[in-house]
PDB file of all heavy atoms in Angstrom:
ATOM      1  N   VAL A  87     132.083  81.020-170.337  1.00 98.00           N
ATOM      2  CA  VAL A  87     133.093  80.887-169.244  1.00 98.00           C
ATOM      3  C   VAL A  87     134.504  80.534-169.915  1.00 98.00           C
ATOM      4  O   VAL A  87     135.524  80.764-169.320  1.00 98.00           O
ATOM      5  CB  VAL A  87     132.761  79.891-168.131  1.00 98.00           C
ATOM      6  CG1 VAL A  87     131.598  80.345-167.310  1.00 98.00           C
ATOM      7  CG2 VAL A  87     132.494  78.504-168.688  1.00 98.00           C
ATOM      8  N   SER A  88     134.410  79.904-171.056  1.00 97.00           N
ATOM      9  CA  SER A  88     135.678  79.427-171.713  1.00 97.00           C
ATOM     10  C   SER A  88     136.399  80.575-172.462  1.00 97.00           C
ATOM     11  O   SER A  88     137.546  80.690-172.484  1.00 97.00           O
ATOM     12  CB  SER A  88     135.366  78.321-172.733  1.00 97.00           C
ATOM     13  OG  SER A  88     134.648  77.346-172.192  1.00 97.00           O
ATOM     14  N   VAL A  89     135.523  81.450-172.963  1.00 96.00           N
ATOM     15  CA  VAL A  89     136.049  82.478-173.949  1.00 96.00           C
ATOM     16  C   VAL A  89     135.865  83.945-173.462  1.00 96.00           C
ATOM     17  O   VAL A  89     136.813  84.720-173.588  1.00 96.00           O
ATOM     18  CB  VAL A  89     135.399  82.279-175.302  1.00 96.00           C
ATOM     19  CG1 VAL A  89     136.132  83.150-176.372  1.00 96.00           C
ATOM     20  CG2 VAL A  89     135.422  80.848-175.801  1.00 96.00           C
ATOM     21  N   HIS A  90     134.735  84.258-172.987  1.00 97.00           N
ATOM     22  CA  HIS A  90     134.386  85.683-172.961  1.00 97.00           C
ATOM     23  C   HIS A  90     134.320  86.293-171.580  1.00 97.00           C
ATOM     24  O   HIS A  90     133.559  87.237-171.321  1.00 97.00           O
ATOM     25  CB  HIS A  90     133.163  86.005-173.761  1.00 97.00           C
ATOM     26  CG  HIS A  90     133.410  85.974-175.191  1.00 97.00           C
ATOM     27  ND1 HIS A  90     132.919  84.980-176.108  1.00 97.00           N
ATOM     28  CD2 HIS A  90     134.223  86.732-176.033  1.00 97.00           C
ATOM     29  CE1 HIS A  90     133.386  85.182-177.315  1.00 97.00           C
ATOM     30  NE2 HIS A  90     134.209  86.254-177.333  1.00 97.00           N
ATOM     31  N   GLU A  91     134.994  85.653-170.642  1.00 98.00           N
ATOM     32  CA  GLU A  91     134.891  86.177-169.288  1.00 98.00           C
ATOM     33  C   GLU A  91     136.277  86.605-168.687  1.00 98.00           C
ATOM     34  O   GLU A  91     136.506  86.606-167.458  1.00 98.00           O
ATOM     35  CB  GLU A  91     134.144  85.271-168.296  1.00 98.00           C
ATOM     36  CG  GLU A  91     132.754  84.941-168.872  1.00 98.00           C
ATOM     37  CD  GLU A  91     131.782  84.302-167.857  1.00 98.00           C
ATOM     38  OE1 GLU A  91     132.282  83.710-166.871  1.00 98.00           O
ATOM     39  OE2 GLU A  91     130.562  84.219-168.249  1.00 98.00           O
ATOM     40  N   ALA A  92     137.178  86.882-169.619  1.00 98.00           N
ATOM     41  CA  ALA A  92     138.487  87.375-169.271  1.00 98.00           C
ATOM     42  C   ALA A  92     139.232  86.425-168.327  1.00 98.00           C
ATOM     43  O   ALA A  92     139.986  86.851-167.392  1.00 98.00           O
ATOM     44  CB  ALA A  92     138.449  88.801-168.723  1.00 98.00           C
ATOM     45  N   GLY A  93     138.888  85.131-168.339  1.00 98.00           N
ATOM     46  CA  GLY A  93     139.542  84.166-167.398  1.00 98.00           C
ATOM     47  C   GLY A  93     139.059  84.312-165.960  1.00 98.00           C
ATOM     48  O   GLY A  93     139.854  84.023-165.066  1.00 98.00           O
ATOM     49  N   ALA A  94     137.825  84.720-165.814  1.00 98.00           N
ATOM     50  CA  ALA A  94     137.294  84.913-164.433  1.00 98.00           C
ATOM     51  C   ALA A  94     137.259  83.623-163.641  1.00 98.00           C
ATOM     52  O   ALA A  94     137.463  83.632-162.439  1.00 98.00           O
ATOM     53  CB  ALA A  94     135.910  85.522-164.482  1.00 98.00           C
ATOM     54  N   VAL A  95     137.047  82.466-164.362  1.00 98.00           N
ATOM     55  CA  VAL A  95     137.079  81.206-163.666  1.00 98.00           C
ATOM     56  C   VAL A  95     138.463  80.803-163.258  1.00 98.00           C
ATOM     57  O   VAL A  95     138.753  80.450-162.082  1.00 98.00           O
ATOM     58  CB  VAL A  95     136.425  80.129-164.465  1.00 98.00           C
ATOM     59  CG1 VAL A  95     136.615  78.750-163.869  1.00 98.00           C
ATOM     60  CG2 VAL A  95     134.886  80.371-164.697  1.00 98.00           C
ATOM     61  N   GLU A  96     139.390  80.921-164.230  1.00 98.00           N
ATOM     62  CA  GLU A  96     140.845  80.601-163.844  1.00 98.00           C
ATOM     63  C   GLU A  96     141.310  81.579-162.718  1.00 98.00           C
ATOM     64  O   GLU A  96     142.102  81.189-161.922  1.00 98.00           O
ATOM     65  CB  GLU A  96     141.673  80.754-165.097  1.00 98.00           C
ATOM     66  CG  GLU A  96     141.510  79.583-166.063  1.00 98.00           C
ATOM     67  CD  GLU A  96     140.314  79.879-167.042  1.00 98.00           C
ATOM     68  OE1 GLU A  96     139.724  80.976-166.936  1.00 98.00           O
ATOM     69  OE2 GLU A  96     140.005  79.096-167.882  1.00 98.00           O
ATOM     70  N   TYR A  97     140.853  82.750-162.783  1.00 98.00           N
ATOM     71  CA  TYR A  97     141.290  83.780-161.820  1.00 98.00           C
ATOM     72  C   TYR A  97     140.994  83.281-160.339  1.00 98.00           C
ATOM     73  O   TYR A  97     141.672  83.547-159.517  1.00 98.00           O
ATOM     74  CB  TYR A  97     140.514  85.104-162.014  1.00 98.00           C
ATOM     75  CG  TYR A  97     141.017  86.158-161.101  1.00 98.00           C
ATOM     76  CD1 TYR A  97     142.381  86.731-161.174  1.00 98.00           C
ATOM     77  CD2 TYR A  97     140.244  86.694-160.069  1.00 98.00           C
ATOM     78  CE1 TYR A  97     142.785  87.550-160.248  1.00 98.00           C
ATOM     79  CE2 TYR A  97     140.717  87.562-159.187  1.00 98.00           C
ATOM     80  CZ  TYR A  97     141.901  88.031-159.259  1.00 98.00           C
ATOM     81  OH  TYR A  97     142.388  89.051-158.331  1.00 98.00           O
ATOM     82  N   THR A  98     139.928  82.448-160.191  1.00 98.00           N
ATOM     83  CA  THR A  98     139.582  81.893-158.915  1.00 98.00           C
ATOM     84  C   THR A  98     140.243  80.563-158.694  1.00 98.00           C
ATOM     85  O   THR A  98     139.987  79.844-157.664  1.00 98.00           O
ATOM     86  CB  THR A  98     138.054  81.784-158.731  1.00 98.00           C
ATOM     87  OG1 THR A  98     137.572  80.781-159.671  1.00 98.00           O
ATOM     88  CG2 THR A  98     137.355  83.123-158.939  1.00 98.00           C
ATOM     89  N   GLY A  99     141.116  80.134-159.629  1.00 98.00           N
ATOM     90  CA  GLY A  99     141.970  78.988-159.374  1.00 98.00           C
ATOM     91  C   GLY A  99     141.518  77.709-160.093  1.00 98.00           C
ATOM     92  O   GLY A  99     142.099  76.623-159.884  1.00 98.00           O
ATOM     93  N   HIS A 100     140.447  77.761-160.879  1.00 98.00           N
ATOM     94  CA  HIS A 100     139.910  76.528-161.475  1.00 98.00           C
ATOM     95  C   HIS A 100     140.056  76.546-163.022  1.00 98.00           C
ATOM     96  O   HIS A 100     139.872  77.491-163.715  1.00 98.00           O
ATOM     97  CB  HIS A 100     138.406  76.458-161.100  1.00 98.00           C
ATOM     98  CG  HIS A 100     138.131  76.497-159.724  1.00 98.00           C
ATOM     99  ND1 HIS A 100     138.353  75.496-158.880  1.00 98.00           N
ATOM    100  CD2 HIS A 100     137.654  77.533-158.930  1.00 98.00           C
ATOM    101  CE1 HIS A 100     138.022  75.883-157.605  1.00 98.00           C
ATOM    102  NE2 HIS A 100     137.571  77.004-157.632  1.00 98.00           N
ATOM    103  N   LYS A 101     140.391  75.387-163.546  1.00 98.00           N
ATOM    104  CA  LYS A 101     140.544  75.151-164.938  1.00 98.00           C
ATOM    105  C   LYS A 101     139.192  74.977-165.620  1.00 98.00           C
ATOM    106  O   LYS A 101     138.261  74.359-164.954  1.00 98.00           O
ATOM    107  CB  LYS A 101     141.366  73.935-165.236  1.00 98.00           C
ATOM    108  CG  LYS A 101     141.781  73.753-166.705  1.00 98.00           C
ATOM    109  CD  LYS A 101     142.706  72.451-166.890  1.00 98.00           C
ATOM    110  CE  LYS A 101     143.098  72.324-168.290  1.00 98.00           C
ATOM    111  NZ  LYS A 101     144.186  73.353-168.702  1.00 98.00           N
ATOM    112  N   VAL A 102     138.962  75.494-166.781  1.00 98.00           N
ATOM    113  CA  VAL A 102     137.803  75.145-167.580  1.00 98.00           C
ATOM    114  C   VAL A 102     138.223  74.013-168.473  1.00 98.00           C
ATOM    115  O   VAL A 102     139.189  74.084-169.296  1.00 98.00           O
ATOM    116  CB  VAL A 102     137.264  76.424-168.484  1.00 98.00           C
ATOM    117  CG1 VAL A 102     136.112  75.910-169.261  1.00 98.00           C
ATOM    118  CG2 VAL A 102     137.025  77.566-167.551  1.00 98.00           C
ATOM    119  N   LEU A 103     137.571  72.887-168.296  1.00 98.00           N
ATOM    120  CA  LEU A 103     137.902  71.627-169.008  1.00 98.00           C
ATOM    121  C   LEU A 103     137.005  71.645-170.281  1.00 98.00           C
ATOM    122  O   LEU A 103     135.783  71.480-170.159  1.00 98.00           O
ATOM    123  CB  LEU A 103     137.640  70.395-168.138  1.00 98.00           C
ATOM    124  CG  LEU A 103     138.433  70.314-166.835  1.00 98.00           C
ATOM    125  CD1 LEU A 103     137.814  69.361-165.896  1.00 98.00           C
ATOM    126  CD2 LEU A 103     139.860  69.964-167.116  1.00 98.00           C
ATOM    127  N   GLU A 104     137.643  71.817-171.440  1.00 98.00           N
ATOM    128  CA  GLU A 104     136.806  72.132-172.661  1.00 98.00           C
ATOM    129  C   GLU A 104     136.408  70.902-173.421  1.00 98.00           C
ATOM    130  O   GLU A 104     137.202  70.044-173.803  1.00 98.00           O
ATOM    131  CB  GLU A 104     137.565  73.058-173.549  1.00 98.00           C
ATOM    132  CG  GLU A 104     137.712  74.469-172.813  1.00 98.00           C
ATOM    133  CD  GLU A 104     138.546  75.484-173.609  1.00 98.00           C
ATOM    134  OE1 GLU A 104     139.078  75.141-174.669  1.00 98.00           O
ATOM    135  OE2 GLU A 104     138.687  76.630-173.139  1.00 98.00           O
ATOM    136  N   LEU A 105     135.127  70.804-173.739  1.00 98.00           N
ATOM    137  CA  LEU A 105     134.620  69.824-174.681  1.00 98.00           C
ATOM    138  C   LEU A 105     134.327  70.462-176.031  1.00 98.00           C
ATOM    139  O   LEU A 105     134.127  71.670-176.107  1.00 98.00           O
ATOM    140  CB  LEU A 105     133.283  69.168-174.134  1.00 98.00           C
ATOM    141  CG  LEU A 105     133.310  68.334-172.856  1.00 98.00           C
ATOM    142  CD1 LEU A 105     131.924  67.706-172.593  1.00 98.00           C
ATOM    143  CD2 LEU A 105     134.317  67.162-173.060  1.00 98.00           C
ATOM    144  N   PRO A 106     134.207  69.645-177.120  1.00 98.00           N
ATOM    145  CA  PRO A 106     133.831  70.210-178.406  1.00 98.00           C
ATOM    146  C   PRO A 106     132.455  70.799-178.367  1.00 98.00           C
ATOM    147  O   PRO A 106     131.657  70.442-177.480  1.00 98.00           O
ATOM    148  CB  PRO A 106     133.786  68.987-179.291  1.00 98.00           C
ATOM    149  CG  PRO A 106     134.642  67.973-178.653  1.00 98.00           C
ATOM    150  CD  PRO A 106     134.537  68.228-177.146  1.00 98.00           C
ATOM    151  N   GLN A 107     132.253  71.776-179.223  1.00 98.00           N
ATOM    152  CA  GLN A 107     130.852  72.408-179.219  1.00 98.00           C
ATOM    153  C   GLN A 107     130.204  72.062-180.532  1.00 98.00           C
ATOM    154  O   GLN A 107     130.853  71.935-181.591  1.00 98.00           O
ATOM    155  CB  GLN A 107     131.039  73.943-179.070  1.00 98.00           C
ATOM    156  CG  GLN A 107     131.844  74.697-180.146  1.00 98.00           C
ATOM    157  CD  GLN A 107     131.001  75.212-181.241  1.00 98.00           C
ATOM    158  OE1 GLN A 107     129.751  75.084-181.249  1.00 98.00           O
ATOM    159  NE2 GLN A 107     131.628  75.758-182.207  1.00 98.00           N
ATOM    160  N   HIS A 108     128.949  71.948-180.459  1.00 98.00           N
ATOM    161  CA  HIS A 108     128.119  71.593-181.715  1.00 98.00           C
ATOM    162  C   HIS A 108     126.952  72.696-181.681  1.00 98.00           C
ATOM    163  O   HIS A 108     126.075  72.593-180.916  1.00 98.00           O
ATOM    164  CB  HIS A 108     127.505  70.250-181.587  1.00 98.00           C
ATOM    165  CG  HIS A 108     128.668  69.181-181.327  1.00 98.00           C
ATOM    166  ND1 HIS A 108     129.336  68.594-182.398  1.00 98.00           N
ATOM    167  CD2 HIS A 108     129.053  68.666-180.218  1.00 98.00           C
ATOM    168  CE1 HIS A 108     130.240  67.834-181.851  1.00 98.00           C
ATOM    169  NE2 HIS A 108     130.053  67.813-180.518  1.00 98.00           N
ATOM    170  N   GLU A 109     127.147  73.641-182.483  1.00 97.00           N
ATOM    171  CA  GLU A 109     126.227  74.810-182.562  1.00 97.00           C
ATOM    172  C   GLU A 109     126.097  75.367-181.036  1.00 97.00           C
ATOM    173  O   GLU A 109     125.037  75.697-180.597  1.00 97.00           O
ATOM    174  CB  GLU A 109     124.906  74.538-183.083  1.00 97.00           C
ATOM    175  CG  GLU A 109     125.051  74.051-184.573  1.00 97.00           C
ATOM    176  CD  GLU A 109     123.692  74.161-185.339  1.00 97.00           C
ATOM    177  OE1 GLU A 109     122.705  74.157-184.741  1.00 97.00           O
ATOM    178  OE2 GLU A 109     123.821  74.410-186.532  1.00 97.00           O
ATOM    179  N   GLY A 110     127.175  75.423-180.278  1.00 97.00           N
ATOM    180  CA  GLY A 110     127.209  75.950-178.957  1.00 97.00           C
ATOM    181  C   GLY A 110     126.946  74.872-177.830  1.00 97.00           C
ATOM    182  O   GLY A 110     127.102  75.247-176.701  1.00 97.00           O
ATOM    183  N   LYS A 111     126.462  73.714-178.255  1.00 98.00           N
ATOM    184  CA  LYS A 111     126.118  72.784-177.261  1.00 98.00           C
ATOM    185  C   LYS A 111     127.137  71.671-177.064  1.00 98.00           C
ATOM    186  O   LYS A 111     127.940  71.377-177.931  1.00 98.00           O
ATOM    187  CB  LYS A 111     124.729  72.089-177.661  1.00 98.00           C
ATOM    188  CG  LYS A 111     123.586  73.044-177.723  1.00 98.00           C
ATOM    189  CD  LYS A 111     122.257  72.283-177.934  1.00 98.00           C
ATOM    190  CE  LYS A 111     122.049  71.878-179.281  1.00 98.00           C
ATOM    191  NZ  LYS A 111     120.684  71.199-179.480  1.00 98.00           N
ATOM    192  N   ILE A 112     127.189  71.036-175.898  1.00 98.00           N
ATOM    193  CA  ILE A 112     127.971  69.865-175.693  1.00 98.00           C
ATOM    194  C   ILE A 112     127.153  68.650-176.001  1.00 98.00           C
ATOM    195  O   ILE A 112     125.845  68.655-175.879  1.00 98.00           O
ATOM    196  CB  ILE A 112     128.624  69.749-174.267  1.00 98.00           C
ATOM    197  CG1 ILE A 112     127.498  69.808-173.176  1.00 98.00           C
ATOM    198  CG2 ILE A 112     129.592  70.910-174.013  1.00 98.00           C
ATOM    199  CD1 ILE A 112     128.058  69.484-171.815  1.00 98.00           C
TER     200      ILE A 112
END
Side-chain angles (χ1 to χ4, degrees):
Chain A
V87 294
S88 311
V89 189
H90 285 112
E91 302 193 348
V95 169
E96 288 85 0
Y97 183 67
T98 65
H100 304 287
K101 189 179 183 72
V102 180
L103 300 160
E104 296 177 356
L105 289 188
Q107 62 94 3
H108 307 276
E109 299 199 335
K111 297 191 280 184
I112 58 169

